[in-house]
């Protein structure tokens, strides 16, 4: 289709919107409510453009192109409309940018600057609503909300949780859980997808920065930090690097400079998880256990199944998530080795995830002490690095500490959806056959699609597997399990779309292109590592020899496995 | 009265019945309680946040019980140009509540409504679906006095 | 044998569809295949009886639409029942819909055997004994209550001196096409509707025309949507008909929300079969087998009548499966709207039927491609559907003869406000606003001067005297800054403040905005605040900033209104600023008086008023001083009093209580 956009002729695909065309043509149209991959709601009107023959301005995110269309994306009328919309938003906004967690990284703030908003043209009543600070993971500040609805759509349409919705009407409307409850008293799974999709400071993580600084500054505390796989391919973005830049070594350097006593790699216990989980799976397969087995490393997913499908809890692997295993080992194995009183150890996890904050304080995860004491998101770590005066870009690479620092390629791919499955298959194959897989790259479970399925034949055993990400996609499988007609053996579930690389604690805003680049970086790390199966991790082997015995041993169960709760809802 | 029979009339797991079922529950119960909204959410398999979102969107739904006498002040255009704002203010002052509220003794609820179509007798209010037209401040005071007397006698 | 249904079993053999044959013989067409002589006679007999041509006992028809009831129709009804019983007079009482003359409610029609039907206005319960005595017993007319008579072929039997009702000034310039049955027939009687030629259009469409021919007929008639926009109705049907889908829906928008309009309700209450017939025809044309009537829950009577209508039509085989034996199926359900003005917007209405918050979505895709439950759907409003049967019955050329070049047919208006004859009027397109207000409406009461007329409700505009010779059609109204809207016509006199009016509409829109899009949600709020500031006194401004804001508001108002209009998602927002823009255009000096002089020339904006005591009239009775809650009135007994302006809170207590009309405002 031939189209004229800003006096320039170009070709467009039938059915596409003005926005995608403009993007391809290098024309920037601002958006606020638009979410790639979901149907447009056309609610913010910031993306309006002028189309010849149309009475009013049209929203480019929702308006399809047609033959001979003449578009102006930057006319005075358009600019005035956009500026007015921004002014209207600011008029109903706290205007406390200096104290806002999104200062410098706020879509409204950027737009105000881009469109030259320099005075408060409209003034009047503002929405007054209390903050919700009660949950262990997520803070809500409805006064900062611009009602773009991105959080609501993600929560309902992608995550199928429906924790929050728009209530009331018109100027009075706001976003809240039902009956104005707090997030911690409702079936919110704390995945944080709302946070990474919020354009302003209305949703943010509950910060642990202060308690971590306090621990670091406390001479009695031995502060141990660990870093999740997905953090190393995303943190660079906070310092102006391209998405997908691998900054593992720089992170270790930075953590040391901040003042952590020991820097471990969560990848270590990702390998350990595979040893435990693969063993558990083979056990279930051989002993007529409950199948399919569902992975258990995504805490948002755990809370989801506890709330919405408690009947399927017996299908969940009993393995703790990797950082919890690591925490338990730090306060036992490592403490013994170093002869430190576990009570003096403070474990900090750097995670791409907001649900991990909630997970860390679950009473099941820890006996005398919580396995993990604080969880920092990728974003919080970036702030701490800046706060510590570290020029991240100039850091040299450094290496993780022993004995919980070694890892294989199987561990790093935990960060991307399908990775746990692939890692488990590598080890299951080795355990069953005594040799590595012919093709170590198991592509059927890679990629950002919500549901990936495969069948794999290992030594005569045909395994039917699925890797699912984005919680909406799991219901179908859980309904099958509930009805007793699931034909799968093993299903990996990641709460967030794309897995941890697009977790609720990652750099903002969420964007499928960024996620894709982070994913490629993850597989690049895997590809370049000499060892790519968890069973090859020598530190893990030493751990079993020195401390745990064998996978799924009694001691392993005590430290590395857990149980789940029914959280029935009406 | 029990709302159980209401649920029996509707198919389960069908989100499109949400508004009719809420309407019917309100007809029976007088308002929508949190408990009932939770039930409806379970019945329709909708998140309760969505049920709450719908219940707070429409003028018809109320989340608090109504008073014995429901006074609806018509705020249609014809009534407005004939002074319905004064009618409303008078009622608000007399009852000590704002539109949308109910008196503490649960005797009177005050609401506004967009045109009840009785423009010929504007300004008009309805009290429990009975119309009172051509209102003036004095008439309202008299009217309220008679209803107050009534509630005392009850 | 009293009803047509009684005939079905007995008088026709099963070679044909009995309802089809019935409609044929009622309308004197067909080759009487399958009819027999006695059958046709029986039909005629029942018809005459139903239409009260041959009634043997007196029949009283009481207008019991909402406006009638609001004026006490129930009490009149009860009085008749009681008095007739006392006097031992046998008579039938029928409740009808609204004839449109709301100002004259309660309206009671009396049809005595052998006499024409006579219409009495403003009947009160205490008038009942006189009516029974004079008219029912003595067969006399009560002149000062008479609106007119309905002429019949049977002769007027001594009542020739009475004017036919069409000659009443209120009715003379009207043309009743859609409202032909309202207030005339019993809306709950399908037989009366049939006897009046009802369902004949449907039969013609279903048995003699292809769907595309029906679309063609309505296209030729030039019918445009009566809900406001004025889109060609048949075009909508055609778009949906051309979309391939197993399932299609037809929706009737009966969520009349314009605060000052009650046309749809009158038709729903007064002639519901007409709407249902129009819907079945439309469903056939576009290929829908399921339909919804989305009706305001605030219209309980309309809903009750619709329920009965659907039941009766289904019993007669006019709804449901195999309609009139043609194999066409159409099911109709009622959905009660839960109260949201924005649901008049078609995509919001669809969301509401689907059980969601009634928030509109961007178009395209249009509902004709993807509507209710994602299926092709057509949405028309009540009045639009009510026009359809008569187009099919009388033909496109008959219909296209009424109205103007581009706006065909009639339009119903709800005439209210400062006008003598408040009511429902149906006029051919092309009459002027002046004719409606002054000829039909009888002009402005209380010797006041006409100031403006608001047409199109909250989406329309206020038009001053200078443009009320504008002809009513879609385009002309747009040209002068108003719109057809749904049909509210609110007349205002010199005591109406136009700033206050704009504020009123903005308040309404602001509270009815769904909140989805920013310009409407935030912008209407700011516009309202700007208007509110204009109507405040300097006394209530605590800081200088506020008086600065007041002037700023006036500067930015048009800019903001323009952006709201240009960028809002749906029609509600796009038209939200119209009342402001039209009043600014025609009554700018009134805004300026508010802004610069802090005066409300119409004396409406209370904060801007100053209360004075006319020293000539004041007798010094001290009542005002006693009533003043602020002790703002001083004066000695029996001497003229004085109001201290600084203390006065404009509560109006003094003025309403003064017995000597001595207190006035400026």
């Amino acid at each position: 289709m031939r189209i004229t956009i800003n006096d320039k002729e170009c070709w467009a695909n039938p059915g596409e919107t003005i926005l995608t065309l403009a993007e391809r043509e290098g024309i920037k149209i601002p958006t606020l409510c638009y979410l790639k991959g979901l149907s447009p709601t056309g609610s913010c009107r910031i993306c309006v453009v002028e189309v010849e023959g149309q009475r009013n301005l049209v929203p480019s995110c929702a308006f399809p192109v047609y033959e001979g269309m003449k578009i102006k994306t930057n006319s005075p009328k358009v600019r005035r409309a956009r500026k007015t919309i921004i002014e209207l938003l600011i008029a109903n906004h706290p205007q406390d940018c200096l104290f806002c967690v999104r200062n410098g990284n706020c879509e409204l703030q950027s737009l105000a600057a881009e469109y030259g908003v320099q005075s408060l043209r409209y003034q009047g009543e503002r929405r007054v609503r209390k903050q919700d600070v009660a949950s262990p993971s997520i803070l809500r500040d409805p006064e900062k909300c611009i009602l773009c609805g991105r959080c609501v759509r993600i929560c309902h349409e992608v995550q199928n949780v429906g924790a929050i919705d728009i209530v009331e009407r018109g100027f009075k409307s706001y976003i809240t859980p039902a009956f104005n409850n707090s997030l911690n008293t409702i079936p919110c799974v704390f995945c944080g997808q709302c946070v990474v999709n919020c354009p302003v400071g209305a949703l943010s993580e509950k910060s642990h920065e202060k308690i971590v600084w306090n621990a670091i500054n406390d001479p009695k505390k031995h502060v141990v930090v660990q870093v999740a796989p997905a953090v190393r391919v995303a943190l660079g973005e906070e310092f102006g690097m391209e998405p997908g830049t691998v900054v593992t070594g720089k992170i270790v350097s930075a953590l040391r400079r901040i003042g952590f006593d020991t820097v471990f790699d969560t990848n270590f216990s990702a390998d350990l998880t595979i040893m435990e989980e693969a063993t558990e799976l083979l056990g279930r397969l051989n002993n007529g256990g409950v199948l399919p087995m569902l992975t258990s490393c995504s805490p948002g997913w755990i809370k989801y199944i506890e709330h919405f499908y408690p009947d399927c809890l017996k299908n969940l692997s009993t393995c703790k998530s990797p950082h919890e295993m690591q925490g338990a080992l730090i306060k036992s194995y490592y403490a013994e080795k170093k002869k430190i009183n576990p009570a003096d150890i403070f474990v900090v996890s750097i995670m791409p995830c907001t649900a991990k904050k909630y997970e860390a304080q679950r009473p099941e995860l820890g006996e005398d002490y919580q396995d993990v004491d604080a969880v920092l998101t990728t974003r919080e770590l970036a702030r701490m690095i800046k706060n510590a005066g570290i020029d991240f870009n100039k850091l040299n690479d450094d290496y993780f500490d022993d004995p919980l620092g070694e890892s294989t390629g199987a561990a790093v791919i935990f960060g991307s959806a399908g990775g746990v499955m692939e890692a488990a298959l590598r080890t299951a194959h080795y355990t069953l056959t005594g040799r590595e897989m012919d093709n170590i790259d198991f592509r059927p479970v890679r990629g950002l699609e919500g549901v990936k399925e495969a069948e794999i034949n290992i030594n005569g055993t045909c395994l039917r597997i699925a890797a699912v990400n984005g919680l909406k996609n799991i219901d179908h499988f859980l309904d099958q399990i509930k009805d007793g007609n699931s034909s799968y053996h093993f299903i990996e579930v990641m709460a967030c779309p794309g897995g941890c690389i697009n977790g609720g604690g990652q750099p903002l805003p969420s964007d499928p292109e960024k996620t894709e680049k982070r994913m490629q970086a993850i597989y690049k790390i895997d590809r370049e590592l000499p060892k790519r199966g968890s069973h090859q991790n020598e530190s893990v082997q030493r751990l079993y020899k020195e401390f745990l015995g064998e996978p799924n041993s009694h001691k392993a169960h005590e430290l590395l496995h857990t149980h789940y709760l029914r959280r029935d809802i009406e | 009265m029990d709302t159980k029979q209401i649920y029996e009339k509707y198919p389960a797991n069908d989100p499109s019945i949400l508004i009719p079922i809420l309407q019917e529950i309100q007809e029976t119960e007088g308002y929508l309680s949190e408990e009932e909204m939770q039930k409806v959410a379970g019945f329709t398999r909708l998140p309760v946040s969505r049920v709450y979102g719908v219940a707070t969107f429409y003028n018809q739904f109320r989340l608090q019980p109504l008073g014995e006498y429901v006074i609806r002040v018509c705020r249609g255009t014809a009534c407005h140009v004939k002074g319905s704002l004064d009618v409303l203010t008078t009622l608000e002052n007399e009852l000590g509540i704002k539109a949308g509220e109910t008196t503490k003794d649960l005797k009177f609820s005050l609401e506004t409504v967009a045109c009840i179509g009785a423009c010929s007798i504007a300004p008009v209010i309805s009290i429990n679906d009975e119309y009172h037209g051509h209102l003036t401040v004095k008439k309202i005071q008299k009217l309220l006095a008679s209803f107050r007397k009534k509630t005392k006698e009850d | 044998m009293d009803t047509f249904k009684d005939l079905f079993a007995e008088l026709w053999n099963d070679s044909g569809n009995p309802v089809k044959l019935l409609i044929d013989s009622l309308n004197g067409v067909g080759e009487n295949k399958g009819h027999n002589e006695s059958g046709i006679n029986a039909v005629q007999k029942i018809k005459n009886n139903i239409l009260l041509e041959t009634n043997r006992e007196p029949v009283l028809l009481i207008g019991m639409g909402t406006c009638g009831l609001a004026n006490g129709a129930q009490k009149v009804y009860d009085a008749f029942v009681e008095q007739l019983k006392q006097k031992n007079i046998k008579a039938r009482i029928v409740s009808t819909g609204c004839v449109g003359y709301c100002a004259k409610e309660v309206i009671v029609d009396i049809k005595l055997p052998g006499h024409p039907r006579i219409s009495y206005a403003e009947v009160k319960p205490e008038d009942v004994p006189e009516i029974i005595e004079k008219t029912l017993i003595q067969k006399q007319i009560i002149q000062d209550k008479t609106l007119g008579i309905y002429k019949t072929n049977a002769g007027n039997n001594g009542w020739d001196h009475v004017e036919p009702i069409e000659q009443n000034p209120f009715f003379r310039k009207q043309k009743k096409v859609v409202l032909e049955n309202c207030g005339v027939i019993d809306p709950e009687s399908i037989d009366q509707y049939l006897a009046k030629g009802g369902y004949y259009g449907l039969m013609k469409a279903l048995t003699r025309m292809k769907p595309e021919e029906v679309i063609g007929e309505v296209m030729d008639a030039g019918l445009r949507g009566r809900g406001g926009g004025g889109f060609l109705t048949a075009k909508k049907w055609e778009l949906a008909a051309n979309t391939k889908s197993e399932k299609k829906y037809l929706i009737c928008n009966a969520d009349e929300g314009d605060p000052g309009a009650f046309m749809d309700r009158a038709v729903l209450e007064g002639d519901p079969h007409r709407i249902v017939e129009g819907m079945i025809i439309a469903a056939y044309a576009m290929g829908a087998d399921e339909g919804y009537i989305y009706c305001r829950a605030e219209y309980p009577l309309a809903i009750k009548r619709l329920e009965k209508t659907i039941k009766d039509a289904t019993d007669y085989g006019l709804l449901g499966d195999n309609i009139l034996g043609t194999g066409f199926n159409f099911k109709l359900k009622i959905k009660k709207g839960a109260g949201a003005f924005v649901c008049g917007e078609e995509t919001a209405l669809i969301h509401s039927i689907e059980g969601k918050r009634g928030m509109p979505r961007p178009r395209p895709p249009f509902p004709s491609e993807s509507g209710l439950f994602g299926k092709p759907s057509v949405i028309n409003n009540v009045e639009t559907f009510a026009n359809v049967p008569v187009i099919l019955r009388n033909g496109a050329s008959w219909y296209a003869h009424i109205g103007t070049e581009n706006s065909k047919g009639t339009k119903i208006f709800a005439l209210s406000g400062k006008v003598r004859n408040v009511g429902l009027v149906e006029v051919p397109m092309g009459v002027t606003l002046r004719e409606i207000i002054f000829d039909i409406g009888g002009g402005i009461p209380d010797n006041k001067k006409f100031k403006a007329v608001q047409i199109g409700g909250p989406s329309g505009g206020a038009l001053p005297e200078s443009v009320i010779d504008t002809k009513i059609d879609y385009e002309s109204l747009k040209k002068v800054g108003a719109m057809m809207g749904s049909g509210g016509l609110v007349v205002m006199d010199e005591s109406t403040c136009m700033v206050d009016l704009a504020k009123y509409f903005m308040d309404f829109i602001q509270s009815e905005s769904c909140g989805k899009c920013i310009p409407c949600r935030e912008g209407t709020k700011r516009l309202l605040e700007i208007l509110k500031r204009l109507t405040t006194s300097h006394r209530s401004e605590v800081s200088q900033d506020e008086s600065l804001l007041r002037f700023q508001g006036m500067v930015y108002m048009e800019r903001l209104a323009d952006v709201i209009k240009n960028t809002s998602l749906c029609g509600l927002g796009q038209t939200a600023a119209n009342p402001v823009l039209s009043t600014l255009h025609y009554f700018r000096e009134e805004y300026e008086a508010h802004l610069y002089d802090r005066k409300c020339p119409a004396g409406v904006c209370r904060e801007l008023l100053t209360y004075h005591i006319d020293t000539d009239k004041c007798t010094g009775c001290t009542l005002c001083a006693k009533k003043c809650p602020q002790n703002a009135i001083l004066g000695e007994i029996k001497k003229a009093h004085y109001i201290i302006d600084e203390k006065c809170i404009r509560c109006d207590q003094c003025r309403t209580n003064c017995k000597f009309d001595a207190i006035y405002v400026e």
Side-chain angles (χ1 to χ4, degrees), chain B residues 25 27 54 58 60 81-82 90 99 101 112 128 142 153:
Chain B
I25 288 170
E27 247 165 61
V54 167
Y58 294 98
Q60 191 192 13
V81 298
K82 289 192 170 172
T90 308
E101 295 176 351
T112 57
N128 287 3
K142 261 192 208 158
E153 283 162 5

Side-chain angles (χ1 to χ4, degrees), chain A residues 405-443:
Chain A
E406 183 191 349
S407 65
T408 70
V412 76
I413 59 174
F414 265 57
S416 185
V420 176
M421 174 63 67
E422 186 172 347
L425 289 177
R426 289 179 192 173
T427 293
H429 189 277
Y430 178 80
T431 315
L432 285 169
T433 63
R435 57 184 171 79
E436 303 296 335
M437 284 168 86
D438 297 336
N439 189 355
I440 204 94
D441 294 324
F442 190 68
R443 298 199 179 272

Side-chain angles (χ1 to χ4, degrees), chain C residues 295-446:
Chain C
C295 185
R296 277 182 89 179
E298 288 96 330
Y299 287 175
L301 184 60
I303 290 171
K304 198 188 109 201
R305 296 221 162 125
L306 279 173
E307 279 164 356
K308 177 149 186 358
T309 301
I310 290 172
K311 190 185 166 289
D312 290 349
T314 310
D315 283 352
Y316 274 47
L318 295 160
L319 266 177
D321 290 339
N322 194 17
I323 295 170
L324 290 171
T326 59
F328 175 66
N329 308 327
F330 184 60
K331 273 194 211 61
L332 195 51
K333 291 177 194 157
I334 300 169
K335 281 265 180 182
K336 278 192 272 178
F341 179 64
V342 67
C343 286
E345 187 71 24
E346 51 183 24
T347 54
L349 188 152
I350 285 171
H351 284 155
S352 184
I353 295 180
E354 290 172 346
K356 299 173 186 160
R357 290 164 63 85
M359 305 215 273
R361 61 156 177 79
R363 299 174 302 181
F366 288 92
S368 52
E369 302 160 61
S370 173
L372 186 61
F373 302 116
K375 305 289 179 219
S377 308
V378 163
I379 300 168
N380 289 129
N381 95 326
V382 168
E383 194 182 333
T384 313
F385 281 126
N387 269 285
V388 173
V390 73
I391 292 174
L392 271 291
R393 192 187 339 142
N394 296 350
S397 55
W398 175 86
Y399 187 86
H401 203 67
I402 311 168
T404 65
E405 175 81 39
N406 291 314
S407 301
K408 300 293 184 195
T410 60
K411 178 76 192 92
I412 309 176
F413 289 99
L415 185 61
S416 66
K418 307 283 184 67
V419 63
R420 270 200 192 91
N421 299 334
V422 169
L424 204 68
V425 302
E426 183 175 7
V427 290
M429 297 275 191
V431 303
T432 66
L433 285 164
R434 188 185 295 279
E435 287 173 280
I436 297 180
I437 298 162
F438 289 94
D439 299 346
I440 298 172
I444 317 299
D446 306 329

Side-chain angles (χ1 to χ4, degrees), chain A residues 505-517:
Chain A
Q506 293 283 58
L508 302 152
S510 171
D511 170 8
E513 274 171 38
K514 284 201 302 195
T515 309
E516 173 81 31
K517 285 181 180 156

Side-chain angles (χ1 to χ4, degrees), chain C residues 42-118:
Chain C
V43 168
Q44 207 52 47
K45 214 173 128 199
I46 295 176
K47 179 181 170 183
N48 287 340
N49 193 29
I50 282 172
L51 293 180
L52 304 179
E53 303 271 345
T54 52
N55 59 316
R56 295 228 177 91
E57 55 192 29
V59 180
L60 296 149
L61 302 104
I62 305 178
M64 292 185 66
T66 299
C67 50
L69 290 171
N71 279 289
Q74 189 61 51
K75 282 181 188 143
V76 172
Y77 185 99
D78 294 344
F80 270 113
V81 172
E82 203 202 297
Q83 300 277 330
L84 288 170
K85 206 175 152 197
Q86 257 183 32
K87 297 241 156 83
N88 206 10
I89 298 172
K90 263 183 116 186
R92 195 150 62 91
I93 306 183
V94 177
S95 61
T96 63
C98 170
V99 74
Y101 208 171
C102 302
K104 300 286 178 191
E105 293 282 0
V106 174
I107 293 176
V108 178
D109 288 5
I110 296 167
K111 173 73 180 76
L112 298 176
H115 279 277
R117 175 170 170 175
I118 184 161

